[in-house]
Amino acid sequence: MPGLIMFICIVPTILIMYFLMYPRNWKTKKRIYGVNNREEFQTGESEAFVDGIVKSHNRWAGVLMVIILVIATGLLFVPSLNIKMLLYSIFIYVSLVVFNLPFMLGNSELKKYKKVLGIVPERVLYADLKTAGAIHSLNRTALILANVAGVVIILVTLLCDLQIIPLNLGMFGGSFVCTAIASIFVLMNFIILPVAFMVDNYRNEVISEDSDINTNYNRAKKRIFSNYMLTVTWIDNVMALAAVMIFLFSHIEILTVILTGVYLLAIMGATAVFAKNSMNLNKRYLHDEAKLVEDDDDYWILGMFYYNPKDKRLNVEKRVGVGGTINIAHPAGKFIMGLVAAIIVASILSLVAVGIMVSTPIQVIDTGDTIVCHQLWDEYKIKKSEVTSVEFGDIKDLTAIRTAGTATENLAKGTYVVNGQGNCKLFMNPQVGKYIKITAAGKTYYISAGTLKETEALYEELK
């Protein structure tokens, strides 16, 4: 099931990117590969040349899309869950980068062709003073209320965990698991809220000498984005509430996995509706009404990254896709880009670390007076003099729910709720099949050695 979630994550994303980035009927589009569409592109030999560029790169994008979908499907059949998830994580990074290459190459070729045609950037900033700063479509009240509803969900679960509200959380009482689950969904709203306000305050785009056309276009464009942000916010709230209900009344791990899949599909569906509405709007206005084009292509590196030292804005509208991006030339923009780069590097290193961890066998070392649970480093040290009870059992008889730690097919370590008892420490290889339950110094440990034989020998020694 986790592999299916990764599949659901990457496949719709690639499909949406394909339809947004690679135009079928380029003559009706405002931009081609991030380059402003111009009348010069649609006359004489230029039309055939641009058409050839578009068809060539669209074809390569189509081939890459098919390859990505085939590989994503093939990864579903990798037998080892650990290897599958590691491969999927790396594959998502690589596929998103590779799928952008035809777009970047198309952008570069069209910029070169502009120079061949003798098109020199005019450096003109069009402004409609009649509507400048006066067009807003964000339903601020509805969006703020939706965020308040999300905060209420978190507060209720937190008060339950603190036992201020007398709602029986069963084995999850005091573990703050429900609070954490609700927060995972709701905290996304705290990112959406400032983004929604930021987009609503973007400089109004001038597409015509007629102020009424500019007003109607910008109002409709911002309303579509506002509705999208509001929809995603309520999706987060509903999913947070559903996750809490699952944990409160019938915790079955598969339901949590299914809920995650439903969440991803809901977000993809909302994004698809937003993309369709935006494309219909642009098709209506930019084909029939647009007369003015601001030639700022050179400020967009590969059509994706905005670098304009003369522009004092930090945030600008993206040329392709949803929402906005930052001006890398802005001092804060440079800091943000550095932070993003650091996060990407850290995430890649974390994938490597996870790969090393799941491939490193666990060890339980008997030093004579202490039992040391070791994997990469010493996880737990249990003094034999503090041991008050030792039990031996079958892992199949355990119902273990992780509250903090690691859970893979060959590794379970960290803090778990085991058979209704919270705050248990696990250090086991589930594939061994057997466990040793140790009570020492008021703490409960469930451990196993690297093999069944080693686990049985350790139990005999402790017994």
Side-chain angles (χ1 to χ4, degrees), residues 16-23 33 58 99-100 103 304 320:
I16 292 173
M17 287 176 63
Y18 178 73
F19 287 106
L20 287 177
M21 298 174 63
Y22 300 101
Y33 302 138
N58 281 7
F99 195 65
N100 281 293
F103 179 93
M304 294 184 174
V320 177

Side-chain angles (χ1 to χ4, degrees), residues 21 78 133 147 185 225 260 303 306 313 392 400 440 445 459 461:
M21 298 174 63
V78 174
N147 276 267
F185 289 103
F225 190 80
T260 305
Y306 186 67
R313 295 174 298 166
F392 191 70
Y445 301 86
Y459 172 68
E461 169 65 22

Side-chain angles (χ1 to χ4, degrees), residues 270-326:
T271 303
V273 171
F274 167 79
K276 185 177 184 300
N277 291 338
S278 298
M279 290 171 64
N280 290 338
L281 177 69
N282 289 335
K283 184 178 180 180
R284 162 66 180 86
Y285 277 93
L286 301 181
H287 180 57
D288 298 331
E289 309 290 354
K291 298 181 178 64
L292 302 178
V293 176
E294 182 182 346
D295 192 357
D296 57 350
D297 295 335
D298 289 346
Y299 291 130
W300 287 88
I301 303 171
L302 299 174
M304 294 184 174
F305 308 102
Y306 186 67
Y307 186 91
N308 185 357
K310 298 179 182 179
D311 192 342
K312 302 304 180 183
R313 295 174 298 166
L314 172 61
N315 304 102
V316 294
E317 187 177 2
K318 290 174 66 174
R319 290 216 144 182
V320 177
V322 178
T325 187
I326 62 172

